[in-house]
Amino acid sequence: MATRWGICSAGKISHDFTVALKTLPPGDHQIVAVAARKLQDAEAFAKKHSIPQAYGSYEELARDPEIEVVYVGTIHPYHLPVGMLFMKAQKNVLCEKPMAMNLREVQELVASAKMNKVFLMEAVWTRFFPASLEIERLLSRGEVGEVKMVKADFGVPLMHVPRAVEKELGGGALLDIGIYCLQFICMVYNGEKPECIQATGVCLETGVDEGMVVTLKFSRNRMAVFTCSIAVELPNDAVIIGTKGTIRVPEHIWCPTSLVVNGKEIQYTLPEPYLPLNFINSTGMRYEAEEVRRCLLKGTLMRP
């Protein structure tokens, strides 16, 4: 049976996720309904993507018995209340990153998932790209020896975007885009917690960080450093440096389609979208959807 999806929010990221879902076999993934705060927005979205049902409230989506899992594409402050709404209605949830505004909210969501015995995953789509899976494979085989240093940069001009600069909307460089660098480092070091973290940054008058440089020290004298900014364009690349070689993500660290391993480049092709996308390489969101389906079929209830 196909995994039956509900789409929460009719914004830009939900559009791209829906386009990505439709690059997958219809026998595996089916979009049942979409909900928005305004019915006309949901209806327009449903018409554009040939979705059979449109709702003018998230509560209606939560009550739909046909939906197995909900993709939450709302802005950051709504992740907690909307995620709680769906999990209390016994819906599995794929929640856009960041999962919530702070640690307390994340803990509430995790507790709700456990209490209601439903699946919850943060949509850190990068982790499921073929390039990311290849990095994990190469590291597990020791292709570059012992990793001693990881460097990552992600910066794009977002000062004109309200949700990026307003504290109440979950703005700031670290929460919006810096987490891509941090998750990359965590992936390389296999989830190990650093022994020491040092950060230096600058804040806007709105109370959020415009940019920062973060240094992390891990056990056995291993290091990592990343830079993030919502004021300027950075190289947006990453490099893993080991005692026997390097792995480089030459561009688009958050949605990589190529690797350079000890000087040799590897390319990964993404499927073409059936509609124009709002963000680069968004058909790569298909990989996180495939992971959700695998987890549901296995009966997994939590995916970090």
Side-chain angles (χ1 to χ4, degrees), residues 138 239 246-250 258-266:
L138 291 168
V239 61
T246 62
I247 302 171
R248 190 164 66 89
V249 181
S258 64
L259 295 177
V260 179
V261 182
N262 295 328
K264 181 181 179 181
E265 186 169 10
I266 308 168

Side-chain angles (χ1 to χ4, degrees), residues 124-142:
V124 183
W125 60 319
T126 316
R127 283 290 179 100
F128 309 105
F129 271 68
S132 297
L133 299 181
E134 179 65 6
I135 289 173
E136 292 182 305
R137 189 186 70 83
L138 291 168
L139 293 176
S140 70
R141 289 174 46 184

Side-chain angles (χ1 to χ4, degrees), residues 56-193:
S57 73
Y58 302 149
E59 289 78 10
E60 290 175 280
L61 188 67
R63 290 194 296 268
D64 189 326
E66 295 300 314
I67 291 170
E68 183 179 4
V69 56
V70 177
Y71 169 76
V72 175
T74 61
I75 61 173
H76 306 168
Y78 290 97
H79 290 180
L80 174 64
V82 170
M84 297 288 278
L85 169 71
F86 292 122
M87 288 189 289
K88 287 178 180 178
Q90 298 298 303
K91 306 299 185 190
N92 301 294
V93 171
L94 173 64
C95 182
E96 257 309 329
K97 62 85 203 165
M99 185 174 284
M101 298 278 280
N102 52 52
L103 176 60
R104 177 187 57 80
E105 290 190 357
V106 170
Q107 290 171 335
E108 286 188 48
L109 286 167
V110 170
S112 179
K114 291 178 178 178
M115 181 186 305
N116 292 289
K117 294 182 172 57
V118 294
F119 173 81
L120 172 64
M121 187 174 99
E122 184 178 24
V124 183
W125 60 319
T126 316
R127 283 290 179 100
F128 309 105
F129 271 68
S132 297
L133 299 181
E134 179 65 6
I135 289 173
E136 292 182 305
R137 189 186 70 83
L138 291 168
L139 293 176
S140 70
R141 289 174 46 184
E143 291 289 328
V144 296
E146 183 184 11
V147 176
K148 299 295 288 184
M149 176 67 71
V150 184
K151 299 174 67 177
D153 294 311
F154 190 179
V156 288
L158 295 173
M159 301 286 280
H160 61 289
V161 180
R163 68 162 184 82
V165 297
E166 296 295 334
K167 189 173 183 179
E168 296 74 17
L169 299 180
L174 180 61
L175 195 59
D176 195 34
I177 59 178
I179 63 170
Y180 283 111
C181 300
L182 187 56
Q183 72 81 27
F184 183 84
I185 292 165
C186 290
M187 178 187 73
V188 172
Y189 287 132
N190 201 28
E192 180 182 328
K193 291 185 179 181

Side-chain angles (χ1 to χ4, degrees), residues 207-226:
V208 303
D209 55 300
E210 176 189 296
M212 66 173 61
V213 179
V214 181
T215 303
L216 305 98
K217 181 180 181 296
F218 292 82
S219 64
R220 305 197 307 277
N221 296 322
R222 296 168 300 153
M223 301 283 292
V225 60
F226 75 87

